[in-house]
């Protein structure tokens, strides 16, 4: 029996919807508006003291303004922009204490005792001091391994919740269509199907099983959806941000509706179907209207057509940008709320929603609808009964192992002329050269907290190379700039060695002297920063010094293996005997790379993006429209390496595909002398269609590990509902998109 002396919203046995409606009925308009605001930067809410932490006047002023606090962004964020590092920020052991201190103040400031939602960046691991750093999303895409990523995402969620965080913001929805864009590293790749499968894995791993109303594991209170070690996910960015004009950050996206639906929306739809708790609207416009003010996108499509019932959050300061078309920030806030945004980020527009209601720009009923979504998430987390962290921090060693496993799975061998790799045991002298060879700082990617430890490629080779191996090191040059003075030393080291390992690439590392925009994007690329948010490129070369170093080392005639550590596909001449890319592999990536170079591990990565021959080819993605256009007079029109490409230290043979019920079957044989993993890629080519088709579309994939000489029949489910058409299609099964165009297809006729 319900205790009638206790407000219904305080009854953990009541349904979430009943509790939301009861609480909503008790709130003033001012309190409601407060729940929709996320105005503060979390690092401004506290100050470290010799005895721990103290709250700031800024936090007190914010909670007084709205009689509480709806959400707080980045309480644990640490980076050059926030100015938080190991000297002044919370580490793994005292984060929960800080979170409790802030939460107690918020609850005490709220007439109704409403806790705050702590929103955190978890782009590739929790962006906090001492958090596990995973490889960036582009590296995750290169693994083609959703199961491995799901386990890593679960670990990241457990770290977040143990420290007192709640909502994890994770880039997953952007599709890399122009590698000049600095945020390419945050994309899973250029293909919607690959991104959709990894987005599903992300949601499953972080949120657990929320479909039945309770999560996997013991829920903290009756009716709670999320287990104490699981976190609701906010998927970003919705939608089309990966196709901005010129690859420039936050620029317009000139997308037709069909392109939007076929390429840029499938990952979001997969995330919604998997149960994602929240989405973040993107900065760019779609058909002339910015996403944060686009009702057709946020309400008519997302909610009415897809049935999404979760939270929609605006990107940082995106609501205030709408004032360019509304005339003032009050009207901008009203436009965003009416469009379907529930929670702002750092904006002024939502702080004036009371005035917007008074001016008739938005109804209080619309405010209530958004507030109900914020409250529903808080009840689903069990915050009213257990507002403080209740779970234990997961093992840091487990985090390191998962991060290293992802890094290892992402290493992609692009070419290997003459069998330069793996490094043979007869090689006793190795020159380790290049600006990326002896540092892990540039392996981390953007949105990464300061780190104390890591493993560079040089470190990894020192640890894993056979005893007695003579390792010689010379950086040769810096990542940026024109200083060539270090090249002679590098050439001498290479000439005196049996093999040169040349580690080149880029960096997304920010420094305190970076000039930041108000939303944290880099306004200017400083020091060695060549990638990341705000660091867009007009070209894709590595720069004059790195290319000069490459030319000089390969001219020695010493066999050379080039390793690229990068956040986007750079254009690198094929002058070396072997070329592999590890993307940004995380702090322990050097160990994964060294193990692959030495043959302790197989190169199992496959390209999640096509690699162009030059920037003049762009766009160069594989799934373009199937038109009979020609090449260029002055250059090849095909990419240097196609989507899905990746070599092994062994070889594989595929038999012809066949349809077996609702699955495609193919025999795969390891025809080489080493154990290896092949990624069976199933592509379709539409033959009969009411609209112009694409050349190829990835439809399914499956990784298979085989011993030397082993043959296995691989069955891959073939769901025709994904094709959404009646007619005929070619099914092509191969190891890459380019190879798929050369194999004999299986023609299948689909029936209604």
């Amino acid at each position: 029996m319900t205790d009638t002396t206790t407000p219904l919203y305080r009854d953990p046995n009541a349904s979430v919807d009943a509790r939301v409606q009861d609480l909503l009925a008790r709130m003033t308009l001012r309190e409601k508006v407060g729940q929709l605001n996320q105005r503060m930067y979390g690092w401004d809410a506290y100050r470290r003291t010799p005895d721990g932490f103290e709250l700031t006047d800024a936090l007190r002023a914010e909670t007084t303004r709205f009689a509480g606090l709806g959400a707080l962004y980045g309480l644990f964020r640490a980076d050059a922009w926030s100015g938080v590092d190991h000297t002044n920020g919370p580490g793994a052991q005292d984060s929960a204490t800080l979170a409790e201190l802030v939460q107690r103040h918020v609850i005490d400031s709220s007439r109704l005792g409403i806790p705050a939602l702590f929103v955190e960046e978890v782009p590739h691991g929790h962006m906090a001091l001492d958090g596990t750093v995973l490889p960036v999303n582009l590296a995750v895409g290169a693994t083609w391994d959703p199961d491995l990523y799901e386990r890593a995402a679960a670990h990241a969620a457990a770290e977040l919740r143990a420290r007192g965080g709640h909502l994890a913001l994770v880039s997953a929805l952007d599709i890399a269509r122009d590698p000049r864009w600095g945020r390419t590293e945050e994309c899973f790749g250029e293909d919607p199907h690959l991104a959709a499968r990894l987005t599903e894995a992300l949601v499953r791993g972080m949120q657990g099983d929320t479909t039945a109303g309770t999560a996997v594991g013991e829920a903290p209170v009756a009716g709670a959806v999320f287990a104490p070690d699981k976190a609701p996910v906010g998927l970003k960015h919705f939608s089309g941000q990966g196709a901005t004009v010129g690859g420039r950050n936050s620029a317009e996206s000139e997308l037709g509706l069909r392109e939007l639906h076929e390429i840029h929306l499938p990952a979001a739809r997969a995330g919604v179907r998997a149960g994602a708790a929240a989405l973040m609207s993107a900065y760019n416009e779609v058909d002339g209207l910015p996403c944060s003010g686009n009702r057709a996108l946020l309400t008519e499509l997302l909610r009415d057509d897809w049935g999404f019932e979760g939270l929609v959050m605006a990107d940082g300061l995106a609501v205030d940008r709408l004032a360019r078309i509304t005339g003032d920030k009050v009207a901008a806030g009203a436009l965003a709320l009416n469009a379907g945004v529930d929670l702002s980020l750092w904006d002024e527009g939502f702080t004036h929603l009371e005035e917007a209601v008074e001016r008739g720009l938005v109804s209080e009923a619309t405010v209530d609808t958004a507030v109900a979504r914020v409250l529903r998430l808080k009840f689903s987390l069990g915050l009213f009964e257990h507002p403080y962290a209740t779970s234990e921090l997961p093992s840091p060693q487990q985090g390191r192992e998962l991060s290293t496993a992802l890094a290892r799975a992402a290493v992609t061998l692009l070419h290997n002329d003459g069998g330069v790799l793996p490094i043979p045991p007869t090689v006793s002298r190795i020159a380790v050269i290049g600006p990326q060879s002896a540092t892990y700082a540039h392996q981390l990617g953007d949105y990464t907290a300061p780190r104390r430890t890591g493993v560079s490629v040089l470190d990894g080779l020192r640890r894993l190379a056979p005893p007695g191996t003579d390792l010689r090191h010379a950086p040769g040059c810096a990542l940026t700039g024109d200083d060539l003075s270090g090249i002679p030393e590098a050439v001498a080291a290479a000439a005196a060695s049996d093999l040169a390992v040349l580690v080149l690439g880029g960096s997304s590392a920010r420094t305190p002297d970076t000039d930041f925009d108000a939303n944290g994007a880099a306004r200017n690329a400083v020091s060695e920063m060549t990638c990341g948010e705000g660091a867009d490129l007009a070209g894709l070369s590595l720069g004059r010094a790195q290319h000069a170093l490459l030319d000089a080392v390969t001219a020695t005639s010493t066999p050379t293996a080039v390793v690229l550590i990068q956040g986007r596909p750079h254009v690198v001449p094929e002058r070396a005997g072997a070329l592999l890319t590890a993307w940004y592999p995380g702090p322990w990536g050097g160990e994964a790379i060294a193990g692959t170079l030495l043959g302790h591990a197989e190169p199992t990565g496959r390209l999640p993006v096509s690699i162009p021959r030059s920037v003049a080819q762009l766009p160069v993605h594989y799934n373009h429209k199937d038109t009979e256009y020609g090449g260029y007079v002055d250059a090849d029109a095909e990419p240097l390496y196609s989507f899905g490409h990746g070599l092994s230290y062994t070889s594989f043979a595929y038999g012809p595909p066949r349809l077996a019920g609702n699955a495609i079957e193919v025999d795969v044989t390891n025809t080489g002398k080493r154990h290896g993993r092949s990624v069976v890629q199933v592509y379709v080519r539409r033959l009969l269609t009411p609209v112009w088709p694409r050349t190829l579309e990835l439809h399914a994939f499956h990784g298979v590990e085989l011993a030397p000489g082993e043959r296995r029949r691989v069955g891959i489910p073939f769901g025709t509902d994904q094709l959404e058409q009646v007619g005929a299609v070619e099914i092509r099964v191969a190891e890459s998109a380019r190879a798929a165009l050369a194999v004999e297809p299986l023609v299948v006729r689909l029936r209604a």
Side-chain angles (χ1 to χ4, degrees), residues 38 50 112 252 288 402 404 426 462 479 497 523-524 562 677 739:
Q38 191 176 200
L112 297 166
E252 68 272 21
L402 285 166
T404 306
T426 54
R462 282 173 173 164
L479 283 172
S497 300
R523 184 175 295 162
N524 61 317
V562 171
R677 179 179 186 264

Side-chain angles (χ1 to χ4, degrees), residues 266-290:
R269 190 168 190 183
V272 168
R273 287 174 168 171
L279 268 68
M280 176 184 278
S281 55
Y283 283 124
N284 58 282
E285 65 173 65
V286 172
D287 198 23
L289 195 58

